[in-house]
Amino acid sequence: MSPLAIFFLFLIHSSLAANTNIYNVQNYGAKSDGKTDSSKAFLSAWAAACASNTPATINVPSGKYLIHNANFNGQTCKSKAITIHIIDGTLLAPSDYNVNSDDENWIKFEKVNGISIYGGTFDGQGAALWACKNSNKNCPDGTTVLAQGNSPNTDGIHVKLSSGVGIMKSQIGTGDDCISIGPGTSNLWIEGIACGPGHGISIGSLGWKQQELGVQNVTVKTVTFSGTTNGVRVKTWARPSSGFVRNILFQHIVMVNVKNPILIDQNYCPNHESCPHQGSGIKISDVTYQDIRGTSATKIAVKLDCSITNPCSGIALEDLNLSYQNQQTEASCVNARGRVSGLQKPNNCLLKN
């Protein structure tokens, strides 16, 4: 199995009615031989399910299905409850990474509402790509959910322009964010995730565009971060923007040797080159960190670096217990307002209402 093989079971929650139309991808020409490109067949099954006026299920029988590239767009869907049953099936990316070299995504779900995905294996067949990258050649970025920690630009799951999405019971390891949350995301539920290696679960980066949709009503709970660069993070560029982040809950989270367990970075500039330094226009409000415990890989376990022009408000730190080499950790809080309650380790993050 290649290092890019993706093993995960995630559920994007929806309420399913009793009457469900079933669309078998094999009836649309998909072949389970692992050699025939079944992209069009999967997209045809998706189009049929989208056109349904009742809940619809796309069935993927056992076998291996080669998918060169597939963008499942839900903007025009009539059905608001589509289930994709993969279970014992495997979706294969082309073993030749040049086939998708011009595509940002291998499999993409965009502007969807009320979709459920059950089971299956997504195999990116990335051995040749990572060999290329390790040789310092000019290589495509690649796409994955389970990848080596040193594999660059490999977000596990990216959500944007979507509402009512849930990601649950998944194991994600990447060289970038395990889950990244982009503009236009609302009512997102993330639960039961094991993240590592990777850069944690991040809202952002946001604020690159001056006119940008916000992120709101996001719950991240019962997550374990192991050896990651960050735990729960919000990152925004320090430049004018109409966007916002509000009504966020991070709850019941375990950190295991995480470099930045809790981080708000409103001066995000990953390469430290041509950084804008203008003050982030993204307004962050009503963010709660509750019952977060474990170990930090650095002395500063909580860093809230909020915008100098739009300070964070409504930040709540409740029952934090984070240690560093069996010692109490420290916190750094700048331009942040809110409240602190319960057990606090670190306990020196001063928030003003």
Side-chain angles (χ1 to χ4, degrees), residues 27-48:
N27 293 339
Y28 293 86
K31 304 295 183 184
S32 59
D33 57 9
K35 299 178 182 179
T36 305
D37 182 13
S38 295
S39 305
K40 291 183 179 180
F42 273 71
L43 291 173
S44 295
W46 172 262

Side-chain angles (χ1 to χ4, degrees), residues 250-308:
F250 299 109
Q251 183 184 60
H252 306 323
I253 292 172
V254 176
M255 306 288 181
V256 181
N257 198 35
V258 175
K259 290 183 180 178
N260 301 294
I262 296 174
L263 176 61
I264 293 179
D265 182 4
Q266 292 209 261
N267 292 287
Y268 177 72
C269 187
N271 297 321
H272 305 289
E273 297 178 357
S274 302
C275 300
H277 299 301
Q278 299 179 52
S280 176
I282 300 293
K283 177 63 177 176
I284 298 177
S285 62
D286 300 322
V287 181
T288 297
Y289 302 89
Q290 185 179 80
D291 183 25
I292 299 179
R293 59 196 185 279
T295 57
S296 173
T298 58
K299 185 69 172 177
I300 298 179
V302 176
K303 183 177 182 180
L304 308 181
D305 183 15
C306 295
S307 171
I308 190 172

Side-chain angles (χ1 to χ4, degrees), residues 167-229:
I167 305 171
M168 288 171 268
K169 298 181 180 178
S170 303
Q171 179 178 348
I172 305 173
T174 73
D176 210 309
D177 294 324
C178 290
I179 300 174
S180 61
I181 303 164
T185 300
S186 64
N187 302 319
L188 173 64
W189 189 279
I190 298 172
E191 182 177 4
I193 306 298
C195 171
H199 295 180
I201 293 178
S202 297
I203 297 177
S205 62
L206 303 176
W208 181 254
K209 296 181 180 179
Q210 186 165 359
Q211 297 297 322
E212 187 174 88
L213 296 174
V215 174
Q216 60 186 332
N217 303 332
V218 175
T219 296
V220 178
K221 65 182 297 184
T222 320
V223 175
T224 298
F225 297 94
S226 301
T228 53
T229 305

